[in-house]
Amino acid sequence: METGAGSQGKPRCSLCPEPAVFSDRRTGRHLCRTHFLAGIEQRVAGTIVSRNLIRPGDTVAVGLSGGKDSTALLMLLASLHPAWENVRLVAVTIDEGISGYREETIQSANRLAAALGVEHRHVTFPALFGAPLDAILTGRESQACTICGILRKRALAGAAREAGATKLATGHNLDDEAQSVLMNVLRGDLPRLVRDSSADSSGRFVPRIKPLMDVSEKEIAAYLLLRESWTDLPECPYARYALRREVRSMLSGLEYQYPGTMLNLMESKGKIEKTCAGALATDPLRSCRECGDPCSGELCQFCQLKRELGRELSGSGS
Ligand code: SF4
């Protein structure tokens, strides 16, 4: 990370005489602490306004894992919150039951929500699905992230509904979004590439929003360091099984060598959406035959998974 103390020989801020603490390799701009932090807040506020993510009267459930992205997300939303008219924030933490990993991140989430004075709700996999993720995954470790993703999505959606939320905010950043674009291309899943999780005219699910989608992982790390909120946390033991990990490493390398690669990828996605969205359109939303949740086929992903796992998964998860 190109942060520095701004001492002699170090670059000055491009906007004021203060020493720079962050350098953007894509634009060549150097920023001091004040301008860097203000710039991130303005960008997130800009994303929210230009994409109409949060409106007056909204209750925003914020998925708070306690990791760096969701920590930065809650800090940024809490700092922008006073300017919004009649908007309620509720942090939601899902404890999947991953031994040696989740305990620390949950403690971190608890400390943050308490420090910011944000209402905080907790949901656990054993309470929802009858077992912790560790037990559900026994013998299926290679599918860890797919199974965890489906269950966590279900848990978050249920918790958001319970909290009376009208939006569900997640900490996905620019790197995550660029990785997803590439992964969808690698899997040949072009309809998913153009699917918009925040667009819901049916009112049957709480729309998901990603206020950090224009902020890079490197900027999030710098934001947390400069706000003295960086904590070294363990990595999920199942992360090594994920395709995303390889895509992440490849994209980070490309971004370092060719600054702007991730933004270019997002621009390409935008162009594909504009020119091909009609041709790639998926079937209209249907109701899952078993649980009634919105889905594109006969069964939603959760009910399909429940069938595959048989008795090991109990509960409706909602
Ligand atoms: Fe779940 Fe995979 Fe993330 Fe671990 S790395 S929390 S298994 S999605």
Side-chain angles (χ1 to χ4, degrees):
M1 186 175 312
E2 290 163 45
T3 55
S7 56
Q8 261 194 349
K10 295 264 182 180
R12 296 267 151 201
C13 178
S14 306
L15 303 173
C16 76
E18 288 298 309
V21 296
F22 186 89
S23 296
D24 185 337
R25 297 182 71 239
R26 189 179 62 87
T27 59
R29 214 157 78 136
H30 307 293
L31 292 172
C32 66
R33 181 180 188 278
T34 307
H35 280 112
F36 173 77
L37 292 178
I40 295 291
E41 283 197 10
Q42 279 163 15
R43 200 176 326 149
V44 172
T47 301
I48 290 170
V49 170
S50 66
R51 295 172 186 268
N52 209 6
L53 300 185
I54 297 174
R55 298 177 206 163
D58 266 337
T59 288
V60 183
V62 184
L64 179 65
S65 69
K68 61 183 179 6
D69 296 327
S70 64
T71 295
L73 174 65
L74 190 63
M75 288 172 70
L76 280 155
L77 293 184
S79 107
L80 296 169
H81 182 234
W84 297 331
E85 200 185 317
N86 189 25
V87 170
R88 174 176 161 237
L89 290 182
V90 186
V92 175
T93 296
I94 309 294
D95 182 355
E96 300 91 346
I98 305 174
S99 173
Y101 162 65
R102 273 328 247 126
E103 299 85 349
E104 269 189 69
T105 51
I106 286 171
Q107 280 170 16
S108 181
N110 292 346
R111 280 194 301 270
L112 179 69
L116 296 173
V118 174
E119 179 185 341
H120 192 191
R121 295 175 173 229
H122 296 79
V123 177
T124 72
F125 272 21
L128 284 179
F129 308 122
L133 186 68
D134 283 337
I136 296 169
L137 289 182
T138 306
R140 301 186 186 90
E141 289 80 1
S142 62
Q143 296 168 266
C145 294
T146 306
I147 294 175
C148 175
I150 293 170
L151 297 182
R152 205 170 40 177
K153 197 170 168 190
R154 180 84 169 193
L156 262 179
R161 267 198 309 268
E162 287 247 316
T166 49
K167 300 283 163 56
L168 171 56
T170 59
H172 293 91
N173 59 39
L174 173 63
D175 297 48
D176 297 323
E177 293 300 287
Q179 289 155 18
S180 295
V181 170
L182 203 52
M183 285 166 67
N184 286 328
V185 172
L186 292 175
R187 288 176 175 142
D189 193 348
L190 292 185
R192 195 168 183 161
L193 186 70
V194 299
R195 204 176 293 153
D196 180 359
S197 58
S198 68
D200 172 37
S201 51
S202 70
R204 287 188 290 166
F205 63 92
V206 180
R208 292 162 77 96
I209 59 170
K210 300 170 184 172
L212 301 187
M213 63 186 294
D214 298 319
V215 182
S216 71
E217 195 171 293
K218 180 176 130 180
E219 289 170 316
I220 288 172
Y223 177 85
L224 292 175
L225 282 169
L226 292 170
R227 294 225 22 209
E228 295 175 0
S229 297
W230 175 269
T231 320
D232 265 324
L233 292 168
E235 189 186 41
C236 173
Y238 301 112
R240 66 179 186 275
Y241 297 107
L243 167 66
R244 184 175 286 274
R245 196 185 212 202
E246 287 172 50
V247 170
R248 179 185 177 193
S249 148
M250 183 178 79
L251 263 182
S252 300
L254 286 171
E255 179 68 38
Y256 185 77
Q257 224 179 332
Y258 308 104
T261 295
M262 295 199 209
L263 275 176
N264 293 342
L265 210 47
M266 295 312 295
E267 260 183 44
S268 302
K269 183 196 173 199
K271 285 177 189 159
I272 293 171
E273 270 170 359
K274 265 194 196 142
T275 49
C276 314
L280 295 172
T282 46
D283 295 335
L285 273 186
R286 292 153 68 170
S287 294
C288 171
R289 208 175 55 208
E290 291 193 0
C291 72
D293 262 17
C295 63
S296 50
E298 292 269 298
L299 290 176
C300 70
Q301 282 185 314
F302 174 75
C303 289
Q304 271 174 33
L305 180 66
K306 215 172 155 183
R307 282 197 171 185
E308 281 164 33
L309 299 185
R311 282 211 214 142
E312 293 163 62
L313 201 63
S314 63
S316 65
S318 46

